[in-house]
Amino acid sequence: MVFDNTVDDPKAAEYFFAACLKGKDQRPYIVFQNYCGGSGCHDLDNFGIIDAASLRVLLAPSDNNHSVADQIIGYSVQPLFDYKERFF
């Protein structure tokens, strides 16, 4: 899904994907990923993670947080753009 976040330049868009993932600990997590898709973007990072049971935000998106997302989930989290079970 592509969102146009701009008013003046409709060519500048951002991508947002979300999925429910089960962690290595079998807990459910809502994982989302936001990036711009341009050559200067960090397409493999920018993960956000919410604990689905408590709705607590565990990780806010940032340019270099893929390794932290992996630690929280307990395995290597793949970019969500290819994840077939994403809901957004």
Side-chain angles (χ1 to χ4, degrees), residues 16-82:
F16 182 87
F17 300 105
C20 291
L21 300 180
K22 207 174 257 192
K24 188 175 181 180
D25 59 3
Q26 298 303 306
R27 292 179 60 99
Y29 296 97
I30 301 167
V31 179
F32 56 96
Q33 188 179 24
N34 176 249
Y35 60 90
C36 70
S39 61
C41 296
H42 295 265
D43 295 351
L44 302 178
D45 289 288
N46 288 310
F47 284 98
I49 300 177
I50 298 170
D51 182 315
S54 68
L55 298 180
R56 223 178 85 204
V57 175
L58 303 177
L59 183 65
S62 70
D63 283 347
N64 298 300
N65 72 353
H66 197 165
S67 63
V68 178
D70 293 349
Q71 290 174 358
I72 293 170
I73 299 298
Y75 56 84
S76 180
V77 180
Q78 299 304 307
L80 297 179
F81 54 81
D82 280 336

